[in-house]
Amino acid sequence: MDNLASDPAALLRWYVDSGVDETIGDQPVDRYNIVAKAAPAPTVERAAQPVIAERPAPAPIAFPAGDAGATHLAQAAQTVEELKAAVEAFDGCGLKQFASRTVFADGNPKARIMFIGEAPGGDEDRQGLPFVGVSGKLLDRMLASIGLTRAENAYITNIVFWRPPGNRAPNDEEIAACLPFVMRHIELVDPAVLVCVGGLSAKTLLAKAQGITKLRGQWFEYATPGLSRPVPTTALFHPAYLLRSPQQKRYAWRDLLAIRQKLNGSAPV
């Protein structure tokens, strides 16, 4: 040890070999005699209380202004047949370039009830008629349950007249391009009852931000300058949704009964 004391480098190596790897200080510290001083409590600044404002009601959906040419063409049509020809000649909606056919309507245009769905799918694009696929067959059964058929007393169309690529939902611009024709379509058919089939149709025609689960089961009034009186309007689950969520069929059945009751209190169908 005496040799180590005279050789600092050798002493350091001896400490390292002994497991000493940290130098604390020159003087020993008796930690049993240390009285721990309590650390001062941190100063906590009281956060300002948030001001909770009353949540505003959701604003109605505002679709972009449609093509003035579409409005002119739609208003010029004096019959459903003229409106169909105007829609087929219209090139102001980008969906048309991807579609095989224009899907205008199906059923009896003199019916007192009008159903407006969302957009054509693959089967509709091939046949040129709305609601002809699997969901269309379910819709037919739903109508039959309250005494309605396309051939006699029901009329069916969509918010847009061409199939969106990949069956996606139509965007606001595409809806706005078709909306003047849809509004004129309702005026020309002049239904006693209007049914929006699916959330997109309901939001568009009722100008509501709520989803279909909030809108179904309620009655609204649809009015335009071209209608002689407001039309009682309700929303119905889309058949495609019911196929995915069969537990919702009980609510759809209630809505169908309410539609039938409303028709019984309106003009004959």
Side-chain angles (χ1 to χ4, degrees):
M1 192 71 177
D2 294 336
N3 295 333
L4 293 176
S6 61
D7 187 352
L11 178 61
L12 181 59
R13 285 195 297 273
W14 182 82
Y15 280 133
V16 172
D17 293 339
S18 300
V20 177
D21 57 1
E22 184 177 2
T23 300
I24 302 301
D26 294 334
Q27 299 297 325
V29 178
D30 186 356
R31 300 189 180 277
Y32 291 99
N33 293 326
I34 295 178
V35 178
K37 295 182 180 180
T43 302
V44 179
E45 294 184 3
R46 193 175 188 84
Q49 295 298 316
V51 178
I52 302 176
E54 183 179 355
R55 185 177 181 181
I61 293 178
F63 290 98
D67 186 351
T71 301
H72 176 76
L73 289 172
Q75 291 301 316
Q78 299 303 308
T79 65
V80 172
E81 290 74 18
E82 290 180 4
L83 184 67
K84 180 181 180 181
V87 170
E88 290 176 338
F90 180 64
D91 292 325
C93 179
L95 292 176
K96 187 175 183 180
Q97 62 181 312
F98 302 105
S100 300
R101 297 191 182 191
T102 298
V103 181
F104 182 71
D106 192 21
N108 183 358
K110 295 182 180 180
R112 301 303 293 159
I113 184 168
M114 185 175 186
F115 295 84
I116 302 184
E118 299 179 344
D123 293 311
E124 291 76 16
D125 184 58
R126 286 186 288 271
Q127 299 186 41
L129 295 171
F131 286 98
V132 293
V134 176
S135 62
K137 290 181 173 59
L138 176 56
L139 179 62
D140 287 341
R141 294 197 297 271
M142 293 167 66
L143 299 184
S145 70
I146 56 172
L148 299 175
T149 66
R150 304 184 192 217
E152 298 177 0
N153 51 15
Y155 190 64
I156 305 171
T157 185
N158 280 312
I159 286 294
V160 299
F161 303 102
W162 299 278
R163 177 196 182 193
N167 286 346
R168 64 165 173 79
N171 60 40
D172 290 355
E173 289 74 18
E174 293 158 352
I175 293 172
C178 296
L179 196 54
F181 297 104
V182 176
M183 295 172 64
R184 185 58 177 160
H185 206 169
I186 298 170
E187 293 172 354
L188 293 173
V189 174
D190 191 25
V193 173
L194 182 64
V195 180
C196 303
V197 184
L200 182 63
S201 174
K203 289 180 181 181
T204 302
L205 295 178
L206 299 174
K208 301 289 185 181
Q210 293 91 342
I212 185 66
T213 56
K214 297 289 186 181
L215 296 176
R216 59 143 296 273
Q218 301 187 60
W219 286 93
F220 306 88
E221 289 188 340
Y222 176 84
T224 62
L227 288 168
S228 60
R229 78 284 183 264
V231 180
T233 305
T234 191
L236 188 67
F237 281 132
H238 197 286
Y241 171 73
L242 295 176
L243 290 170
R244 298 191 303 269
S245 305
Q247 71 275 11
Q248 301 292 348
K249 288 183 178 180
R250 57 178 176 169
Y251 298 109
W253 172 240
R254 295 177 190 174
D255 296 340
L256 288 167
L257 292 178
I259 291 169
R260 180 72 260 179
Q261 185 177 8
K262 182 69 70 172
L263 280 171
N264 288 342
S266 303
V269 296

